[in-house]
PDB file of all heavy atoms in Angstrom:
ATOM      1  N   THR A 611     -29.083   1.864  24.965  1.00  0.00           N
ATOM      2  CA  THR A 611     -28.879   2.159  26.383  1.00  0.00           C
ATOM      3  C   THR A 611     -28.548   0.905  27.180  1.00  0.00           C
ATOM      4  O   THR A 611     -27.669   0.912  28.047  1.00  0.00           O
ATOM      5  CB  THR A 611     -30.128   2.844  26.974  1.00  0.00           C
ATOM      6  OG1 THR A 611     -30.484   3.953  26.152  1.00  0.00           O
ATOM      7  CG2 THR A 611     -29.855   3.331  28.379  1.00  0.00           C
ATOM      8  N   LEU A 612     -29.245  -0.191  26.899  1.00  0.00           N
ATOM      9  CA  LEU A 612     -28.954  -1.449  27.603  1.00  0.00           C
ATOM     10  C   LEU A 612     -27.555  -1.952  27.276  1.00  0.00           C
ATOM     11  O   LEU A 612     -26.867  -2.498  28.146  1.00  0.00           O
ATOM     12  CB  LEU A 612     -30.010  -2.502  27.239  1.00  0.00           C
ATOM     13  CG  LEU A 612     -31.391  -2.274  27.868  1.00  0.00           C
ATOM     14  CD1 LEU A 612     -32.413  -3.243  27.285  1.00  0.00           C
ATOM     15  CD2 LEU A 612     -31.346  -2.410  29.388  1.00  0.00           C
ATOM     16  N   ASN A 613     -27.125  -1.757  26.033  1.00  0.00           N
ATOM     17  CA  ASN A 613     -25.750  -2.116  25.671  1.00  0.00           C
ATOM     18  C   ASN A 613     -24.743  -1.299  26.475  1.00  0.00           C
ATOM     19  O   ASN A 613     -23.710  -1.808  26.917  1.00  0.00           O
ATOM     20  CB  ASN A 613     -25.517  -1.892  24.167  1.00  0.00           C
ATOM     21  CG  ASN A 613     -26.131  -2.994  23.336  1.00  0.00           C
ATOM     22  OD1 ASN A 613     -26.402  -4.084  23.832  1.00  0.00           O
ATOM     23  ND2 ASN A 613     -26.367  -2.715  22.061  1.00  0.00           N
ATOM     24  N   ASN A 614     -25.062  -0.010  26.672  1.00  0.00           N
ATOM     25  CA  ASN A 614     -24.183   0.855  27.469  1.00  0.00           C
ATOM     26  C   ASN A 614     -24.077   0.359  28.906  1.00  0.00           C
ATOM     27  O   ASN A 614     -22.983   0.294  29.487  1.00  0.00           O
ATOM     28  CB  ASN A 614     -24.706   2.288  27.468  1.00  0.00           C
ATOM     29  CG  ASN A 614     -24.476   2.987  26.141  1.00  0.00           C
ATOM     30  OD1 ASN A 614     -23.785   2.473  25.273  1.00  0.00           O
ATOM     31  ND2 ASN A 614     -25.051   4.155  25.988  1.00  0.00           N
ATOM     32  N   ILE A 615     -25.218   0.023  29.498  1.00  0.00           N
ATOM     33  CA  ILE A 615     -25.232  -0.438  30.894  1.00  0.00           C
ATOM     34  C   ILE A 615     -24.514  -1.778  31.012  1.00  0.00           C
ATOM     35  O   ILE A 615     -23.767  -2.020  31.967  1.00  0.00           O
ATOM     36  CB  ILE A 615     -26.681  -0.522  31.417  1.00  0.00           C
ATOM     37  CG1 ILE A 615     -27.285   0.898  31.499  1.00  0.00           C
ATOM     38  CG2 ILE A 615     -26.727  -1.185  32.789  1.00  0.00           C
ATOM     39  CD1 ILE A 615     -28.758   0.931  31.840  1.00  0.00           C
ATOM     40  N   HIS A 616     -24.730  -2.653  30.036  1.00  0.00           N
ATOM     41  CA  HIS A 616     -24.050  -3.948  30.040  1.00  0.00           C
ATOM     42  C   HIS A 616     -22.530  -3.767  30.046  1.00  0.00           C
ATOM     43  O   HIS A 616     -21.800  -4.460  30.776  1.00  0.00           O
ATOM     44  CB  HIS A 616     -24.481  -4.756  28.809  1.00  0.00           C
ATOM     45  CG  HIS A 616     -23.830  -6.104  28.721  1.00  0.00           C
ATOM     46  ND1 HIS A 616     -22.698  -6.333  27.967  1.00  0.00           N
ATOM     47  CD2 HIS A 616     -24.133  -7.285  29.329  1.00  0.00           C
ATOM     48  CE1 HIS A 616     -22.344  -7.610  28.090  1.00  0.00           C
ATOM     49  NE2 HIS A 616     -23.195  -8.209  28.906  1.00  0.00           N
ATOM     50  N   ALA A 617     -22.053  -2.812  29.250  1.00  0.00           N
ATOM     51  CA  ALA A 617     -20.618  -2.543  29.195  1.00  0.00           C
ATOM     52  C   ALA A 617     -20.107  -1.974  30.517  1.00  0.00           C
ATOM     53  O   ALA A 617     -18.950  -2.179  30.887  1.00  0.00           O
ATOM     54  CB  ALA A 617     -20.316  -1.574  28.049  1.00  0.00           C
ATOM     55  N   LEU A 618     -20.975  -1.280  31.242  1.00  0.00           N
ATOM     56  CA  LEU A 618     -20.567  -0.649  32.504  1.00  0.00           C
ATOM     57  C   LEU A 618     -20.451  -1.636  33.659  1.00  0.00           C
ATOM     58  O   LEU A 618     -19.704  -1.392  34.611  1.00  0.00           O
ATOM     59  CB  LEU A 618     -21.591   0.422  32.897  1.00  0.00           C
ATOM     60  CG  LEU A 618     -21.426   1.830  32.344  1.00  0.00           C
ATOM     61  CD1 LEU A 618     -22.583   2.694  32.807  1.00  0.00           C
ATOM     62  CD2 LEU A 618     -20.106   2.435  32.801  1.00  0.00           C
ATOM     63  N   VAL A 619     -21.193  -2.732  33.598  1.00  0.00           N
ATOM     64  CA  VAL A 619     -21.276  -3.646  34.732  1.00  0.00           C
ATOM     65  C   VAL A 619     -19.887  -4.115  35.172  1.00  0.00           C
ATOM     66  O   VAL A 619     -19.581  -4.159  36.363  1.00  0.00           O
ATOM     67  CB  VAL A 619     -22.180  -4.855  34.387  1.00  0.00           C
ATOM     68  CG1 VAL A 619     -22.052  -5.938  35.458  1.00  0.00           C
ATOM     69  CG2 VAL A 619     -23.635  -4.397  34.278  1.00  0.00           C
ATOM     70  N   ASP A 620     -19.039  -4.459  34.204  1.00  0.00           N
ATOM     71  CA  ASP A 620     -17.695  -4.948  34.535  1.00  0.00           C
ATOM     72  C   ASP A 620     -16.718  -3.825  34.871  1.00  0.00           C
ATOM     73  O   ASP A 620     -15.680  -4.068  35.482  1.00  0.00           O
ATOM     74  CB  ASP A 620     -17.134  -5.765  33.363  1.00  0.00           C
ATOM     75  CG  ASP A 620     -17.909  -7.050  33.150  1.00  0.00           C
ATOM     76  OD1 ASP A 620     -18.454  -7.572  34.143  1.00  0.00           O
ATOM     77  OD2 ASP A 620     -17.995  -7.518  31.999  1.00  0.00           O
ATOM     78  N   ILE A 621     -17.061  -2.602  34.463  1.00  0.00           N
ATOM     79  CA  ILE A 621     -16.163  -1.465  34.690  1.00  0.00           C
ATOM     80  C   ILE A 621     -16.418  -0.831  36.049  1.00  0.00           C
ATOM     81  O   ILE A 621     -15.508  -0.590  36.839  1.00  0.00           O
ATOM     82  CB  ILE A 621     -16.335  -0.410  33.576  1.00  0.00           C
ATOM     83  CG1 ILE A 621     -16.006  -1.030  32.210  1.00  0.00           C
ATOM     84  CG2 ILE A 621     -15.454   0.808  33.828  1.00  0.00           C
ATOM     85  CD1 ILE A 621     -16.397  -0.157  31.035  1.00  0.00           C
ATOM     86  N   SER A 622     -17.700  -0.553  36.329  1.00  0.00           N
ATOM     87  CA  SER A 622     -18.064   0.101  37.592  1.00  0.00           C
ATOM     88  C   SER A 622     -19.499  -0.241  37.942  1.00  0.00           C
ATOM     89  O   SER A 622     -20.437   0.220  37.273  1.00  0.00           O
ATOM     90  CB  SER A 622     -17.895   1.613  37.473  1.00  0.00           C
ATOM     91  OG  SER A 622     -18.467   2.267  38.593  1.00  0.00           O
TER      92      SER A 622
END
Side-chain angles (χ1 to χ4, degrees):
T611 308
L612 287 172
N613 283 340
N614 286 351
I615 293 173
H616 180 264
L618 273 177
V619 169
D620 293 331
I621 300 169
S622 170

